[in-house]
Amino acid sequence: MTDQAYNFAYLDEQTKRMIRRAILKGLAIPGYQVPFASREMPMPYGWGTGGVQVSAAVLTPDDTFKVIDQGADDTTNAVSIRSFFERTAGVETTTKTSEASVIQTRHRIPEEPLTEEQILVYQVPIPEPLRFLEPRESETRKMHSLEEYGLVHVKLYEDISRHGHIATSYAYPVKVEARYVMDPSPIPKFDNPKLGDMAAIQLFGAGREQRIYALPPYTQVVSLDFEDHPFEASKADHPCGLCNATESYLDEVIIDDQGGRMFVCSDTDYCAARQAAGHKGKDAA
Amino acid sequence: MRPLLSVQGVTKHYGAHIGCADVSFDLYPGEVMGIVGESGSGKSTLLNCMAGHLAPDAGQVVFDTRAEGPKHTVTMSEPERRMLSRTDWAFVHQHARDGLRMGVSAGGNVGERLMAVGARHYGNIRDKATDWLERVEIDAARVDDRPTTFSGGMQQRLQIARNLVTGPRLVFMDEPTGGLDVSVQARLLDLLRGLVRDMGLSAIIVTHDLAVVRLLADRLMVMKSGRVVEAGLTDQVLDDPQHAYSQLLVSSVLQV
Amino acid sequence: MIELNDVSKTFTLHNQGSTVIEVISGVSFSVAPGECVALTGASGAGKSTLMRMIYGNYLTQSGSIRIGDVDIVQSEPREVIALRREVLGYVSQFLRVVPRVPTLDVVADPLRALDVSAQEAQARAQSLLTLLNIPERLWSLSPTTFSGGEQQRVNIARGFAHEYPAMLLDEPTASLDATNREVVLSLIEESKARGAAIIGIFHDEGARDRVCDHEIDVSAFTPGMAA
């Protein structure tokens, strides 16, 4: 029974306390990237080591845990992280958004509005929104501390000059409480409006880059834009092929080699719940 | 009239080695001052001390800010100094790639300072960038091209546009024509001269090219081993140098 | 308007055994508005040197050189520059310009520096260039490619663009043909008539006799030459 040989939720208590301190600091300074001593986890970088450490630090034995990867509960990444905490923490797991108290996510925010009883943990690959134009960490830190954010708009300017519109469609930069510019992790910009004024706590963990940042409940989050090119939360202009939802974010699925394709909700729990309630799309069996 | 920049006793050591020692002068609005001297004479060290890139060991630099009048730039807070360097100051590097973002289009390069001071209207930023490209004689059709596709002279002119777009009052130039073809240099000098006059700029130009200072600078400082050995009206220092080193410097230039 | 008082100059050649050469000593004279004074003396007597000292191009060791209210010997560079911009004109023997600047702009430049509108400055430049017989097809070209005589005329046009209250003319009629010489002499006469104080060096005796009111023999102040 090797599982019993591990401390609750894999990490030792000292590490969890260290991570909790980083989380508390992040919550106190919304959008600020707090450095933390990221641990080696039994999974490769890029598989959510940052999110897993944050989840481990906030989970309690009474929690119900849900993991989504691009909105889906049933992909390899989601399944393995879910089973990791089933084994190391023994917590309840679920695929239902409303039943979960802690939701770890890669690249999506669930469609169903979250509540004050919930915590959303994001997996973050590159936490620094200024990194694409300024490679020096010393310089980006200074830019954050001095609120020198002209560079973010240079990126958006380049987008418009090259594509005629802001082509950035995910990891779209936001400004938090009119202070820190933050990378919301690679969520589609469709999800950006949900970041602000959310009832749940949002925590962001970047394992490889060793950064934690956070949005406390009901934080003001504004997507950056130009006056003449305002921010737009875009999605594929179709209803879901399975549940006929028109308000959800859709994945495009290629279904044959004849160019056939369908659009389905990326949030599998949301889609399944709608189908169970009798909604039916044109591609539903 | 109040000096735009007042430098008093600026000294910078690198260990036991003197970078520059006890340099003092006042620069008035609209004046262009040249600093000449051989490599290692301390002219670039002095320039960097004045532009806030280096902290001098002693001495003070007082700049007459647009917003709040004369302020000590050495002791002011870093955010304040960085704000100055985006608004009232400009810095033209010898190598354009030190002063440009090579991965960003020409328009984005020029627009950056505007966005840094709060411009948020894409159309206006782009119009202004295009206007500035034309002012530095770069075809407006190149606005979306990256500087990597530009010639050395064009890159240098782009760097100048990028610096002047926010209407600075003081331009620091470090060998602005260094490494350019002679024909390209002449064009750049002519452009700089026109901009300096039309915008009423003050400028401090570090160079070892005496022809550059003769054409651009009203005043000249000759430096040797970190110290100013002679200063005065440019044509007077060049045509009637008083110090032994200035005489040597002037007489060493090949006549063409 | 121009007043020299006990002016002296030495050159010290630090790189040639610190040789000290006394060039000029004890010069005093003055030029009133509307007056033209010729500097004379043999070659090497220091005529050009004295003129350059008056312009502030050469450093004066002692004495005073007053142009209007300004003593150029004691002035800060910016004061000299302002003086040269507004009060003191100088037509040297050689044209020195930024390569590739069109002739028209070269001539209009002194007016542009005085914040005269581009249009007005260009109009003045055009009329001077026409007067001095520089063909219009050359106006858009840089004078660096011109012949010696053409360059000299461009230089004169530039020197007369602004109506300076004080002017220094170094061989203004040298290398000019009779027609253009006449134009230059009338320009000098017009300047005198409007009250300019002028100091000139003329090898051309006819020109000197026509425009100058009196002469100063510089050799009298040259150590080793007067003796």
Side-chain angles (χ1 to χ4, degrees):
Chain A
M1 295 306 282
T2 53
D3 297 356
Q4 267 66 57
Y6 289 115
N7 189 33
F8 175 76
Y10 184 75
L11 292 174
D12 62 88
E13 290 305 311
Q14 282 298 328
T15 299
K16 285 194 278 187
R17 286 172 65 179
M18 176 270 291
I19 293 172
R20 284 176 198 138
R21 279 196 295 271
I23 290 170
L24 286 173
K25 181 169 177 181
L27 285 166
I29 318 169
Y32 172 73
Q33 298 168 49
V34 185
F36 80 109
S38 179
R39 296 290 191 253
E40 286 299 322
M41 298 302 286
M43 63 186 71
Y45 288 121
W47 285 63
T49 53
V52 165
Q53 290 179 78
V54 170
S55 293
V58 298
L59 277 174
T60 65
D62 300 333
D63 273 313
T64 306
F65 190 57
K66 169 183 162 86
V67 187
I68 51 173
D69 176 4
Q70 308 257 31
D73 292 274
D74 52 3
T75 61
T76 315
N77 200 210
V79 170
S80 59
I81 292 174
R82 199 161 54 228
S83 67
F84 175 75
F85 282 113
E86 279 168 1
R87 291 181 61 187
T88 60
V91 291
E92 291 287 316
T93 59
T94 180
T95 59
K96 288 200 165 56
T97 301
S98 56
E99 287 176 6
S101 55
V102 176
I103 304 171
Q104 182 171 333
T105 176
R106 175 174 172 268
H107 306 184
R108 268 315 308 274
I109 296 176
E111 302 293 350
E112 197 177 326
L114 302 182
T115 68
E116 289 179 8
E117 311 302 317
Q118 295 176 302
I119 296 174
L120 185 59
V121 177
Y122 296 76
Q123 302 172 201
V124 181
I126 299 168
E128 179 49 71
L130 305 169
R131 184 64 69 233
F132 43 83
L133 288 171
E134 179 49 69
R136 290 167 294 179
E137 172 71 14
S138 58
E139 188 64 18
T140 52
R141 280 208 209 185
K142 199 166 276 178
M143 289 159 86
H144 280 295
S145 67
L146 303 181
E147 283 187 80
E148 291 182 5
Y149 289 134
L151 211 49
V152 192
H153 275 87
V154 172
K155 166 79 162 55
L156 298 177
Y157 172 96
E158 290 292 284
D159 250 19
I160 304 172
S161 74
R162 207 165 306 145
H163 307 285
H165 59 96
I166 297 178
T168 300
S169 56
Y170 61 91
Y172 192 103
V174 294
K175 197 163 198 180
V176 179
E177 291 287 335
R179 178 59 183 84
Y180 284 98
V181 166
M182 186 190 95
D183 185 324
S185 88
I187 58 171
K189 66 177 170 185
F190 172 83
D191 283 342
N192 268 31
K194 298 182 207 162
L195 289 163
D197 211 28
M198 187 189 278
I201 291 174
Q202 301 174 75
L203 305 175
F204 299 78
R208 179 176 40 209
E209 301 287 328
Q210 313 199 330
R211 292 290 183 277
I212 284 171
Y213 49 103
L215 297 173
Y218 307 110
T219 299
Q220 183 207 72
V221 179
V222 177
S223 301
L224 297 173
D225 60 3
F226 286 104
E227 290 157 15
D228 48 345
H229 286 268
F231 171 81
E232 272 176 55
S234 57
K235 67 180 268 286
D237 191 16
H238 295 273
C240 172
L242 298 178
C243 77
N244 211 30
T246 54
E247 304 299 319
S248 66
Y249 188 74
L250 302 174
D251 283 338
E252 184 180 357
V253 182
I254 306 297
I255 50 178
D256 56 31
D257 55 5
Q258 312 295 311
R261 56 190 190 156
M262 62 188 287
F263 290 91
V264 295
C265 293
S266 95
D267 185 335
T268 51
D269 172 56
Y270 177 77
C271 197
R274 276 180 59 87
Q275 289 179 69
H279 295 281
K280 201 166 179 182
K282 68 180 175 64
D283 300 311
Chain B
M1 192 167 32
R2 202 157 66 190
L4 183 66
L5 186 76
S6 181
V7 175
Q8 280 142 41
V10 165
T11 302
K12 174 79 187 170
H13 291 272
Y14 299 108
H17 177 74
I18 294 175
C20 61
D22 200 22
V23 178
S24 303
F25 67 90
D26 287 336
L27 186 78
Y28 285 82
E31 271 190 319
V32 178
M33 190 174 81
I35 304 177
V36 297
E38 60 200 0
S39 303
S41 59
K43 50 193 197 304
S44 290
T45 297
L46 175 62
L47 191 74
N48 284 315
C49 284
M50 293 187 290
H53 299 169
L54 276 178
D57 299 328
Q60 55 183 31
V61 179
V62 180
F63 178 76
D64 189 2
T65 62
R66 210 174 329 218
E68 298 167 59
K71 298 204 82 171
H72 290 266
T73 66
V74 176
T75 51
M76 70 171 44
S77 69
E78 188 175 14
E80 234 181 324
R81 196 160 49 235
R82 283 173 71 112
M83 183 51 106
L84 268 186
S85 69
R86 287 199 304 266
T87 53
D88 276 0
W89 294 350
F91 198 102
V92 176
H93 295 263
Q94 173 177 7
H95 302 292
R97 53 181 59 242
D98 294 338
L100 291 174
R101 291 193 190 277
M102 299 306 279
V104 169
S105 70
N109 263 291
V110 178
E112 182 179 341
R113 272 173 82 116
L114 295 172
M115 293 181 247
V117 295
R120 292 291 178 265
H121 189 284
Y122 174 82
N124 293 350
I125 293 165
R126 193 178 169 80
D127 287 349
K128 202 148 186 196
T130 311
D131 176 49
W132 264 97
L133 289 183
E134 284 171 346
R135 286 179 75 167
V136 299
E137 302 168 25
I138 293 173
D139 187 351
R142 304 291 304 267
V143 66
D144 294 331
D145 294 347
R146 291 187 178 189
T148 40
T149 67
F150 288 8
S151 69
M154 280 170 78
Q155 288 183 3
Q156 199 59 300
R157 279 179 276 134
L158 179 62
Q159 191 193 179
I160 289 164
R162 168 180 160 88
N163 268 286
L164 297 189
V165 65
T166 47
R169 296 190 299 152
L170 177 58
V171 186
F172 299 103
M173 299 191 215
D174 191 2
E175 302 276 8
T177 60
L180 296 177
D181 283 346
V182 178
S183 62
V184 177
Q185 277 190 21
R187 186 174 182 189
L188 190 70
L189 286 176
D190 176 30
L191 179 78
L192 283 173
R193 223 172 65 101
L195 290 171
V196 163
R197 186 175 62 202
D198 295 346
M199 299 178 72
L201 294 175
S202 302
I204 297 178
I205 304 172
V206 159
T207 180
H208 58 258
D209 188 339
L210 299 183
V212 168
V213 289
R214 190 184 281 277
L215 290 173
L216 284 180
D218 306 314
R219 294 165 56 187
L220 194 57
M221 269 186 1
V222 181
M223 290 187 72
K224 179 173 167 42
S225 309
R227 292 177 188 278
V228 176
V229 295
E230 184 166 356
L233 206 60
T234 300
D235 59 291
Q236 185 256 297
V237 174
L238 292 179
D239 293 339
D240 185 18
Q242 305 295 308
H243 189 272
Y245 177 72
S246 322
Q247 291 185 357
L248 184 67
L249 195 70
V250 170
S251 64
S252 304
V253 176
L254 296 174
Q255 299 289 329
V256 286
Chain C
M1 186 64 208
I2 306 176
E3 194 180 335
L4 281 71
N5 193 1
D6 200 18
V7 168
S8 302
K9 165 145 196 77
T10 55
F11 284 119
T12 307
L13 307 180
H14 291 286
N15 299 302
Q16 293 174 42
S18 293
T19 316
V20 178
I21 303 172
E22 271 199 76
V23 210
I24 267 173
S25 68
V27 186
S28 300
F29 68 89
S30 61
V31 187
E35 195 180 20
C36 178
V37 169
L39 301 182
T40 62
S43 217
K47 303 186 290 293
S48 287
T49 299
L50 182 59
M51 190 171 269
R52 284 167 166 239
M53 286 159 67
I54 298 170
Y55 195 57
N57 178 222
Y58 280 3
L59 197 71
T60 301
Q61 264 79 19
S62 65
S64 69
I65 301 175
R66 303 189 72 83
I67 318 285
D69 316 322
V70 180
D71 179 1
I72 212 151
V73 180
Q74 305 293 337
S75 293
E76 292 289 317
R78 68 198 162 87
E79 294 168 316
V80 178
I81 284 161
L83 187 79
R84 289 174 178 184
R85 191 164 53 227
E86 290 150 23
V87 179
L88 183 62
Y90 178 41
V91 177
S92 67
Q93 291 189 62
F94 304 100
L95 182 64
R96 191 171 241 152
V97 292
V98 184
R100 135 199 145 99
V101 177
T103 298
L104 198 61
D105 292 345
V106 168
V107 176
D109 193 56
L111 290 171
R112 296 288 290 129
L114 286 164
D115 289 334
V116 173
S117 75
Q119 211 175 2
E120 200 180 321
Q122 293 228 332
R124 171 79 177 149
Q126 284 167 359
S127 75
L128 278 164
L129 288 168
T130 310
L131 199 62
L132 285 154
N133 303 300
I134 301 286
E136 194 172 340
R137 65 188 160 78
L138 298 182
W139 294 0
S140 58
L141 305 177
S142 165
T144 41
T145 56
F146 292 4
S147 73
E150 283 165 344
Q151 288 200 6
Q152 176 64 351
R153 279 178 278 148
V154 172
N155 207 11
I156 290 165
R158 179 181 162 86
F160 281 87
H162 170 55
E163 297 190 341
Y164 296 99
M167 296 184 80
L168 307 172
L169 310 174
D170 194 352
E171 298 282 12
T173 57
S175 69
L176 294 185
D177 58 32
T179 320
N180 287 313
R181 174 175 175 273
E182 182 55 37
V183 173
V184 173
L185 292 177
S186 353
L187 279 172
I188 297 173
E189 283 166 347
E190 280 167 29
S191 300
K192 284 177 68 181
R194 66 166 169 81
I198 300 175
I199 296 176
I201 299 173
F202 299 89
H203 277 119
D204 176 349
E205 281 181 36
R208 184 162 65 205
D209 294 344
R210 178 165 149 196
V211 297
C212 296
D213 301 297
H214 53 258
E215 299 181 1
I216 308 260
D217 185 355
V218 179
S219 352
F221 310 108
T222 316
M225 235 169 148

